[in-house]
Amino acid sequence: MKDRAKVEDLLATSDFQVRSSNTAWRHVKAEYVDIIDDILATLAPSGPYAYTVSPSVEEGKELPTQHIVTTFDEISASYHNMHRFAAVVAIRPVAEINGSWYTFVSGRGRGRIKTTGEESERPVIVLFPTMGSDGITGELFWGRTQKDSLPGDPADGVLASRYAVAALHGTLLDAYREGDVDTIIGKAHPEVQGGVRDYVSHSGTLPEFHTKDEFRAHLEDFYAEYTVRSIEVVHQHFDDWFFFHELRWTVEARRGANAGKVFRYHTAEYAEVSAAGLVVAHIGSGTDQITLG
């Protein structure tokens, strides 16, 4: 039986966790001040980046369309466009999870329309990848779109919806482990919005998807490339309208020059869940891979 680890080893990870939190909140506070150059100065020196821009509402669609940009120039243009009309007033967190390479925050976000001065507040979730940098490498923001929460077992009382979300999360996690694409897609909203790190092209970017069919194509590409050996939960958090997790993936390449090699990496992702138990949005980032053998 392994005895206790050295305390310096136990505490070493917290250096990165505290740095991630400080880096994320330095960026948020720059948004409050509303000076674009100062906001951009909180980005990591190099990309690729992962930013969700302000979602657009398209006629005939239930969900807002969420686009993701990956370059400094695209992020700069997005900030200039958004801050002409709106200002970030506050993010009031009720949960903060600090990984060694990201910070995740959930709570309520408050904004102001500059032309009228009108302020509004809504539930939000935001993931700030940092990758150990002194600047953020992304800002993956999502505001709640669904009015009602997933109902659960009344016997679970005030936590009924959270336990229902947790049960859905468990079903999906098993499906990801088994490569069961049909189950994953069966739990997705027809207009599911998303972007998760692409480990097939190794671009380091987050390809978008806006429908179940596009989501399916992304998953089929992944499982054609890899066999999943294990997915282990590092962090998880359930609310009545979303789940968040950090996962440790161990995968084996199935084809190409890397066929037979085993890789490990982490992802951090969130998903909004509808009252019908469907994933409305699935957005997240991930680390580079390391080779195990």
Side-chain angles (χ1 to χ4, degrees), residues 208-235:
E208 301 175 17
F209 50 84
H210 305 285
T211 67
K212 288 173 67 170
D213 288 343
E214 292 175 353
F215 191 15
R216 177 183 287 276
H218 170 82
L219 291 169
E220 289 177 345
D221 286 346
F222 175 83
Y223 285 108
E225 188 77 12
Y226 298 104
T227 297
V228 174
R229 285 194 171 185
S230 67
I231 300 175
E232 297 160 300
V233 176
V234 179
H235 292 294

Side-chain angles (χ1 to χ4, degrees), residues 1-31:
M1 180 182 296
K2 180 177 175 60
D3 203 354
R4 301 183 189 190
K6 294 179 180 179
V7 67
E8 53 264 37
D9 294 334
L10 296 176
L11 299 184
T13 302
S14 68
D15 293 340
F16 286 102
Q17 292 171 310
V18 170
R19 178 188 294 180
S20 288
S21 179
N22 290 340
T23 298
W25 286 106
R26 183 167 61 249
H27 170 80
V28 172
K29 290 174 182 177
E31 292 236 35

Side-chain angles (χ1 to χ4, degrees), residues 50-55 66-69 78 139-142 270 283:
Y51 265 71
T52 49
V53 301
S54 297
Q66 181 66 79
H67 293 295
I68 299 172
V69 297
S78 174
E139 182 179 358
L140 301 173
F141 178 96
W142 184 261
Y270 59 73
I283 298 174

Side-chain angles (χ1 to χ4, degrees), residues 106-156:
S106 72
R108 297 186 67 85
R110 189 166 188 83
R112 181 178 68 253
I113 299 174
K114 290 184 175 180
T115 54
T116 64
E118 180 184 0
E119 294 190 1
S120 61
E121 191 174 78
R122 60 173 174 163
V124 299
I125 44 183
V126 57
L127 175 66
F128 298 99
T130 61
M131 305 302 174
S133 171
D134 287 329
I136 61 173
T137 64
E139 182 179 358
L140 301 173
F141 178 96
W142 184 261
R144 184 173 185 172
T145 67
Q146 304 294 294
K147 180 179 178 181
D148 297 319
S149 300
L150 178 61
D153 185 344
D156 287 328

Side-chain angles (χ1 to χ4, degrees), residues 52-259:
T52 49
V53 301
S54 297
S56 57
V57 179
E58 299 180 11
E59 186 176 355
K61 291 190 175 182
E62 176 187 345
L63 300 181
T65 299
Q66 181 66 79
H67 293 295
I68 299 172
V69 297
T70 60
T71 69
F72 183 91
D73 289 344
E74 289 172 324
I75 295 167
S76 176
S78 174
Y79 276 130
H80 279 91
N81 289 335
M82 184 186 78
H83 282 264
R84 280 189 298 162
F85 306 105
V88 177
V89 177
I91 295 179
R92 302 167 57 206
V94 294
E96 179 177 338
I97 299 173
N98 295 307
S100 60
W101 59 278
Y102 69 87
T103 283
F104 170 78
V105 175
S106 72
R108 297 186 67 85
R110 189 166 188 83
R112 181 178 68 253
I113 299 174
K114 290 184 175 180
T115 54
T116 64
E118 180 184 0
E119 294 190 1
S120 61
E121 191 174 78
R122 60 173 174 163
V124 299
I125 44 183
V126 57
L127 175 66
F128 298 99
T130 61
M131 305 302 174
S133 171
D134 287 329
I136 61 173
T137 64
E139 182 179 358
L140 301 173
F141 178 96
W142 184 261
R144 184 173 185 172
T145 67
Q146 304 294 294
K147 180 179 178 181
D148 297 319
S149 300
L150 178 61
D153 185 344
D156 287 328
V158 296
L159 294 178
S161 290
R162 293 193 183 198
Y163 282 127
V165 170
L168 172 63
H169 177 264
T171 297
L172 290 173
L173 206 55
D174 286 342
Y176 275 98
R177 290 181 175 117
E178 296 164 8
D180 184 356
V181 173
D182 287 340
T183 292
I184 298 168
I185 296 302
K187 298 295 185 180
H189 188 282
E191 298 174 13
V192 59
Q193 300 295 301
V196 294
R197 178 154 177 172
D198 184 1
Y199 289 99
V200 176
S201 71
H202 300 286
S203 64
T205 60
L206 278 61
E208 301 175 17
F209 50 84
H210 305 285
T211 67
K212 288 173 67 170
D213 288 343
E214 292 175 353
F215 191 15
R216 177 183 287 276
H218 170 82
L219 291 169
E220 289 177 345
D221 286 346
F222 175 83
Y223 285 108
E225 188 77 12
Y226 298 104
T227 297
V228 174
R229 285 194 171 185
S230 67
I231 300 175
E232 297 160 300
V233 176
V234 179
H235 292 294
Q236 61 185 15
H237 175 67
F238 306 114
D239 207 314
D240 63 356
W241 66 280
F242 74 87
F243 64 76
F244 166 82
H245 59 219
E246 180 185 357
L247 304 177
R248 184 171 80 163
W249 297 69
T250 304
V251 300
E252 180 178 339
R254 302 182 61 182
R255 60 188 183 185
N258 289 325

